[in-house]
Short mmCIF file of all heavy atoms in Angstrom, two decimals:
data_model
loop_
_atom_site.label_atom_id
_atom_site.label_comp_id
_atom_site.label_asym_id
_atom_site.label_seq_id
_atom_site.Cartn_x
_atom_site.Cartn_y
_atom_site.Cartn_z
N GLU A 1266 43.33 -26.21 31.60
CA GLU A 1266 43.09 -26.73 32.95
C GLU A 1266 42.30 -25.74 33.79
O GLU A 1266 41.38 -26.13 34.51
CB GLU A 1266 44.42 -27.06 33.62
CG GLU A 1266 44.25 -27.84 34.91
CD GLU A 1266 45.57 -28.42 35.44
OE1 GLU A 1266 46.37 -28.91 34.61
OE2 GLU A 1266 45.78 -28.36 36.66
N ALA A 1267 42.64 -24.45 33.71
CA ALA A 1267 41.91 -23.43 34.46
C ALA A 1267 40.46 -23.36 33.99
O ALA A 1267 39.53 -23.22 34.81
CB ALA A 1267 42.59 -22.08 34.30
N ILE A 1268 40.25 -23.46 32.67
CA ILE A 1268 38.88 -23.44 32.12
C ILE A 1268 38.11 -24.66 32.59
O ILE A 1268 36.94 -24.56 32.99
CB ILE A 1268 38.94 -23.38 30.58
CG1 ILE A 1268 39.54 -22.05 30.12
CG2 ILE A 1268 37.55 -23.57 29.97
CD1 ILE A 1268 39.85 -21.97 28.65
N ALA A 1269 38.76 -25.83 32.59
CA ALA A 1269 38.10 -27.07 33.03
C ALA A 1269 37.72 -26.97 34.50
O ALA A 1269 36.61 -27.40 34.89
CB ALA A 1269 39.03 -28.25 32.78
N GLU A 1270 38.61 -26.44 35.34
CA GLU A 1270 38.30 -26.29 36.77
C GLU A 1270 37.07 -25.42 36.98
O GLU A 1270 36.17 -25.75 37.76
CB GLU A 1270 39.50 -25.66 37.49
CG GLU A 1270 40.68 -26.59 37.70
CD GLU A 1270 41.82 -25.91 38.43
OE1 GLU A 1270 41.60 -24.79 38.95
OE2 GLU A 1270 42.92 -26.48 38.51
N ASN A 1271 37.04 -24.29 36.28
CA ASN A 1271 35.93 -23.36 36.43
C ASN A 1271 34.61 -24.00 36.02
O ASN A 1271 33.60 -23.91 36.75
CB ASN A 1271 36.21 -22.12 35.58
CG ASN A 1271 35.27 -20.97 35.89
OD1 ASN A 1271 34.06 -21.13 35.92
ND2 ASN A 1271 35.84 -19.79 36.10
N ILE A 1272 34.58 -24.66 34.87
CA ILE A 1272 33.33 -25.26 34.38
C ILE A 1272 32.90 -26.41 35.27
O ILE A 1272 31.71 -26.58 35.56
CB ILE A 1272 33.49 -25.72 32.92
CG1 ILE A 1272 33.83 -24.53 32.01
CG2 ILE A 1272 32.21 -26.38 32.42
CD1 ILE A 1272 34.11 -24.90 30.57
N LEU A 1273 33.84 -27.22 35.73
CA LEU A 1273 33.50 -28.34 36.62
C LEU A 1273 32.84 -27.83 37.90
O LEU A 1273 31.84 -28.39 38.37
CB LEU A 1273 34.75 -29.15 36.96
CG LEU A 1273 35.20 -30.16 35.91
CD1 LEU A 1273 36.61 -30.66 36.20
CD2 LEU A 1273 34.23 -31.34 35.83
N LEU A 1274 33.40 -26.76 38.48
CA LEU A 1274 32.83 -26.22 39.71
C LEU A 1274 31.44 -25.64 39.45
O LEU A 1274 30.52 -25.83 40.25
CB LEU A 1274 33.75 -25.15 40.29
CG LEU A 1274 33.40 -24.65 41.69
CD1 LEU A 1274 33.34 -25.80 42.68
CD2 LEU A 1274 34.41 -23.60 42.17
N SER A 1275 31.28 -24.96 38.32
CA SER A 1275 29.96 -24.39 38.00
C SER A 1275 28.94 -25.46 37.66
O SER A 1275 27.73 -25.21 37.71
CB SER A 1275 30.09 -23.39 36.85
OG SER A 1275 30.43 -24.04 35.65
N GLU A 1276 29.40 -26.66 37.31
CA GLU A 1276 28.48 -27.78 37.05
C GLU A 1276 28.19 -28.59 38.31
O GLU A 1276 27.49 -29.60 38.26
CB GLU A 1276 29.07 -28.70 35.98
CG GLU A 1276 29.12 -28.11 34.58
CD GLU A 1276 27.75 -27.98 33.94
OE1 GLU A 1276 26.78 -28.54 34.49
OE2 GLU A 1276 27.64 -27.31 32.90
N GLY A 1277 28.73 -28.14 39.45
CA GLY A 1277 28.43 -28.80 40.72
C GLY A 1277 29.38 -29.89 41.13
O GLY A 1277 29.08 -30.67 42.04
N PHE A 1278 30.56 -29.98 40.52
CA PHE A 1278 31.55 -30.99 40.90
C PHE A 1278 32.39 -30.46 42.06
O PHE A 1278 33.49 -29.92 41.87
CB PHE A 1278 32.46 -31.33 39.71
CG PHE A 1278 31.79 -32.20 38.69
CD1 PHE A 1278 30.99 -31.65 37.70
CD2 PHE A 1278 31.95 -33.58 38.71
CE1 PHE A 1278 30.36 -32.45 36.76
CE2 PHE A 1278 31.33 -34.39 37.78
CZ PHE A 1278 30.53 -33.82 36.80
N CYS A 1279 31.86 -30.58 43.26
CA CYS A 1279 32.60 -30.13 44.44
C CYS A 1279 32.22 -30.99 45.63
O CYS A 1279 31.20 -31.69 45.63
CB CYS A 1279 32.29 -28.66 44.73
SG CYS A 1279 30.55 -28.32 45.03
N ASN A 1280 33.04 -30.93 46.66
CA ASN A 1280 32.77 -31.67 47.89
C ASN A 1280 31.75 -30.92 48.73
O ASN A 1280 31.58 -29.71 48.57
CB ASN A 1280 34.06 -31.82 48.70
CG ASN A 1280 35.17 -32.47 47.89
OD1 ASN A 1280 35.99 -31.77 47.31
ND2 ASN A 1280 35.19 -33.78 47.83
N PRO A 1281 31.08 -31.63 49.64
CA PRO A 1281 30.18 -30.92 50.56
C PRO A 1281 30.94 -29.88 51.37
O PRO A 1281 32.14 -30.01 51.60
CB PRO A 1281 29.65 -32.05 51.47
CG PRO A 1281 29.84 -33.29 50.67
CD PRO A 1281 31.05 -33.08 49.84
N LYS A 1282 30.24 -28.84 51.84
CA LYS A 1282 30.90 -27.77 52.61
C LYS A 1282 31.53 -28.32 53.89
O LYS A 1282 32.53 -27.80 54.37
CB LYS A 1282 29.87 -26.70 52.98
CG LYS A 1282 29.39 -25.88 51.80
CD LYS A 1282 28.37 -24.87 52.20
CE LYS A 1282 28.97 -23.75 53.03
NZ LYS A 1282 27.99 -22.70 53.32
N SER A 1283 30.98 -29.40 54.41
CA SER A 1283 31.53 -29.98 55.63
C SER A 1283 32.88 -30.63 55.40
O SER A 1283 33.65 -30.82 56.33
CB SER A 1283 30.54 -31.00 56.22
OG SER A 1283 30.27 -31.99 55.24
N SER A 1284 33.15 -31.01 54.14
CA SER A 1284 34.45 -31.62 53.84
C SER A 1284 34.98 -31.04 52.54
O SER A 1284 34.97 -31.69 51.51
CB SER A 1284 34.31 -33.14 53.71
OG SER A 1284 33.39 -33.46 52.71
N VAL A 1285 35.39 -29.79 52.60
CA VAL A 1285 35.80 -29.08 51.40
C VAL A 1285 37.02 -29.72 50.78
O VAL A 1285 37.22 -29.71 49.59
CB VAL A 1285 36.08 -27.59 51.73
CG1 VAL A 1285 36.64 -26.86 50.53
CG2 VAL A 1285 34.81 -26.92 52.22
#
Side-chain angles (χ1 to χ4, degrees):
E1266 191 168 319
I1268 294 170
E1270 286 181 11
N1271 192 309
I1272 299 175
L1273 279 167
L1274 189 56
S1275 67
E1276 291 289 349
F1278 284 84
C1279 60
N1280 305 95
K1282 290 178 70 175
S1283 57
S1284 58
V1285 174

